[in-house]
Amino acid sequence: MRVLKKFPQPNTIKGQLHRVLVWITFIIGLCIFIPTLYIEYRQTIQHQNEEMTHYLDAQTYFFESWLSERISSFFSRF
C-alpha cells in the first residue's frame, strides 16, 4: 500500500527545493503587499489632513464672523 505525503520530506533535495520555493513566494508576496499597504496608508493620512484643514478653515471662518459680529454689536451700543 502506497501512502501519499502532502509535503516532501525535509531532508531530500525535493524537500529543500520546496522550502526554498515557499520562502521565495513569501518574500515576493511581502515585496508586493508592504508597499501597497504603505501607499494606502499615506493616501489615507493625506486625505485626512486635507479634511482636517477644511474643517479648521470652516471653524476659523465661523469664529471670526461670530467674533466680528459680537464686537460690532458691542461697539454699536456706545
Side-chain angles (χ1 to χ4, degrees):
M1 187 170 134
R2 192 168 182 190
V3 178
L4 296 175
K5 296 179 182 178
K6 190 171 185 178
F7 298 107
Q9 292 295 324
N11 295 331
T12 63
I13 293 175
K14 190 174 183 181
Q16 291 173 355
L17 180 64
H18 181 262
R19 275 199 314 265
V20 168
L21 289 176
V22 166
W23 276 106
I24 289 174
T25 306
F26 180 72
I27 297 297
I28 290 174
L30 286 179
C31 289
I32 294 171
F33 178 70
I34 291 175
T36 305
L37 190 66
Y38 178 73
I39 290 170
E40 284 292 323
Y41 172 76
R42 293 297 300 158
Q43 288 177 348
T44 302
I45 294 296
Q46 183 180 6
H47 182 67
Q48 288 175 348
N49 284 340
E50 289 174 4
E51 285 186 0
M52 185 58 73
T53 302
H54 293 309
Y55 175 76
L56 291 176
D57 288 343
Q59 289 291 327
T60 303
Y61 176 75
F62 173 76
F63 180 72
E64 286 176 351
S65 62
W66 176 81
L67 186 61
S68 66
E69 181 182 314
R70 292 289 181 173
I71 289 173
S72 64
S73 67
F74 177 75
F75 285 118
S76 68
R77 293 181 191 169
F78 297 113

